[in-house]
Amino acid sequence: MSEDQIKENQPVEDQPEEPEEIMEEAPQEEVESTENVATDVEDEVEEVEEEEEEVVEVRESQPEETLLLPRDTLLSAGIHIGTRMKTLDMEPFIYRVRPDGLFVLDVKKTDERIRTTAKFLSRYEPAKIAVAATRLYAHEPIRMFCKLTGATPLIGRFIPGQLSNPQYSSRIDPEVIVVTDPRADAQAVKEASKVGIPIVALCSTDNEFVGVDLVIPTNNKGRRALAVVFWLLARQILRERGELAPDRDPPATIEDFEAKVTRDEDEE
């Protein structure tokens, strides 16, 4: 056998260089992949930060809620608290129902209706606006409202014929009437409809709109709620007439409008 044949038949010796090269290349791939992952994470973080900045900019660009009083003040007064009954008429003004079954009114819609009612009533002569209330907690708010605006108060039991009977000595002739509860003040609503004058009513979730022309959705039974609503209505009317600056409040406070009920009256 020749030397060349012997060399060809000899086994090839292991070459240590190749594994060394492989061992050197492997860590480089791991480093490169780690760097790529880190870069991807940084890119994602930057994208999230950019999105958060955009959200903040959008929030800042949105107009702030402008209510006649701070929302917390309105809610603490309970003007949004309705009853456990709901009518179809009042459904558009209801925000939600609580777990205890009470229907909750939309404060923003109450705010809008107070503004609308103030503009409407400001067109009439003060003495031609009548305000009726049978409910005890509405007596003081109406007294103060009429004192500030010049309207005519009809407090307590509404005497039949007070609007419709020409022979009645104490008959009045208003051009518009406001009632605190169309059910409790049903006689006033009936006579106002008969003589054909507009009727504005404070309505809770259990009220119907029969005979009513303009509704203010609100808690019409609560002492504090009635004080806040009539104070706001008086303030807005004075502002609409130009008798009060847009950034000023009337001399009387909400506390002045709130009914002071004695123990004897409460029992009655």
Side-chain angles (χ1 to χ4, degrees):
M1 184 178 293
S2 64
E3 293 180 0
D4 294 336
Q5 291 175 341
I6 293 172
K7 289 180 180 179
E8 289 177 359
N9 292 329
Q10 287 179 350
V12 179
E13 296 181 358
D14 294 337
Q15 297 179 358
E17 291 83 0
E18 292 180 0
E20 290 178 0
E21 291 178 359
I22 293 173
M23 292 296 290
E24 291 175 358
E25 290 176 358
Q28 289 179 356
E29 292 178 357
E30 291 179 0
V31 171
E32 288 177 358
S33 62
T34 303
E35 290 177 352
N36 291 335
V37 170
T39 303
D40 293 340
V41 171
E42 290 177 359
D43 292 340
E44 291 179 1
V45 170
E46 289 179 359
E47 290 178 0
V48 171
E49 289 177 351
E50 289 177 359
E51 290 176 358
E52 289 178 351
E53 290 178 359
E54 290 178 0
V55 171
V56 172
E57 289 178 0
V58 169
R59 287 176 180 173
E60 290 178 352
S61 63
Q62 290 177 347
E64 294 183 0
E65 186 180 45
T66 53
L67 298 174
L68 294 173
L69 281 176
R71 178 176 285 269
D72 290 344
T73 303
L74 297 175
L75 295 179
S76 64
I79 71 168
H80 63 303
I81 301 299
T83 67
R84 288 185 172 84
M85 294 180 62
K86 175 186 71 171
T87 64
L88 290 176
D89 290 336
M90 285 298 295
E91 193 167 358
F93 302 103
I94 294 174
Y95 179 67
R96 68 182 180 91
V97 58
R98 297 195 326 192
D100 60 0
L102 280 175
F103 288 98
V104 177
L105 295 165
D106 190 333
V107 173
K108 190 172 182 180
K109 291 184 178 180
T110 301
D111 184 277
E112 292 171 355
R113 284 305 180 97
I114 290 175
R115 295 173 190 265
T116 301
T117 302
K119 289 181 180 179
F120 174 69
L121 294 178
S122 66
R123 301 172 184 172
Y124 292 88
E125 290 183 26
K128 290 296 184 178
I129 302 172
V131 190
T134 302
R135 291 191 180 280
L136 182 63
Y137 286 167
H139 292 182
E140 191 61 27
I142 285 180
R143 285 193 188 95
M144 293 303 300
F145 174 85
C146 293
K147 181 179 179 180
L148 289 179
T149 63
T152 303
L154 301 174
I155 296 173
R157 178 177 175 270
F158 188 88
I159 301 174
Q162 212 164 359
L163 298 179
S164 59
N165 186 0
Q167 305 300 323
Y168 183 55
S169 58
S170 299
R171 177 180 177 271
I172 61 172
D173 188 26
E175 294 179 357
V176 62
I177 188 169
V178 180
V179 298
T180 55
D181 185 337
R183 184 168 60 248
D185 302 317
Q187 184 64 30
V189 172
K190 179 181 178 181
E191 293 196 20
S193 298
K194 185 176 181 180
V195 298
I197 63 174
I199 301 168
V200 179
L202 276 60
C203 292
S204 186
T205 60
D206 59 345
N207 285 125
E208 295 179 339
F209 298 171
V210 178
V212 176
D213 299 290
L214 182 58
V215 169
I216 300 177
T218 184
N219 176 355
N220 58 8
K221 302 172 181 66
R223 181 169 60 178
R224 184 71 176 180
L226 287 167
V228 169
V229 170
F230 275 105
W231 183 85
L232 281 174
L233 190 57
R235 187 183 71 174
Q236 288 306 113
I237 290 175
L238 295 177
R239 288 179 176 180
E240 291 291 337
R241 290 176 183 170
E243 299 176 12
L244 191 67
D247 59 343
R248 303 289 293 178
D249 289 337
T253 65
I254 294 175
E255 286 68 27
D256 295 330
F257 273 67
E258 191 170 353
K260 283 75 176 174
V261 182
T262 64
R263 182 176 298 178
D264 293 338
E265 288 176 334
D266 198 14
E267 289 176 356
E268 290 177 3

